Amino acid sequence: MNFTISRKLVFLVAAASLCFITVSGLQLYQQRAQIHDDTAQLIQTHVESALAIVENFAARAAQGEMTTAQAQSEAAKVLSSARYAGAEYVFAFDPTGLTIAHAKDNLIGTS
């Protein structure tokens, strides 16, 4: 089969375009996966920080520096005011599902 030069060029351009689209798609997929992993790591770090705050107040209550109620109240205040990545926030529920710490004050005490 003999192809004309114009057909060969069209085939070459089409093959190059297909390769470009494939490589671009793979790069976008990898970037998406990296963004997801980075976001998961950021959230994990902030959850661990919030847990450390709560554990600190629990330890202070256990040492008698403050009552358990005071420690819970102070921990809730700190958590409610905590922000990360701009406007993102931490919230906490008690075992019954009651909101005890939230950035929106009107949601505290609700379930």
Side-chain angles (χ1 to χ4, degrees), residues 73-97:
S73 176
E74 291 299 315
K77 286 179 190 175
V78 171
L79 291 179
S80 293
S81 65
R83 298 288 184 277
Y84 67 94
E88 301 299 325
Y89 54 88
V90 176
F91 53 90
F93 299 103
D94 72 3
T96 65

Side-chain angles (χ1 to χ4, degrees), residues 43-63:
I43 292 170
Q44 179 70 30
T45 300
H46 287 287
V47 168
E48 289 172 357
S49 296
L51 182 59
I53 290 168
V54 171
E55 288 172 344
N56 177 275
F57 280 105
R60 290 174 62 189
Q63 293 171 355

Side-chain angles (χ1 to χ4, degrees), residues 4 8 15 18-19 46 68 78 92 96 100:
T4 63
K8 289 178 183 178
L18 183 61
C19 288
H46 287 287
T68 300
V78 171
T96 65
I100 56 174

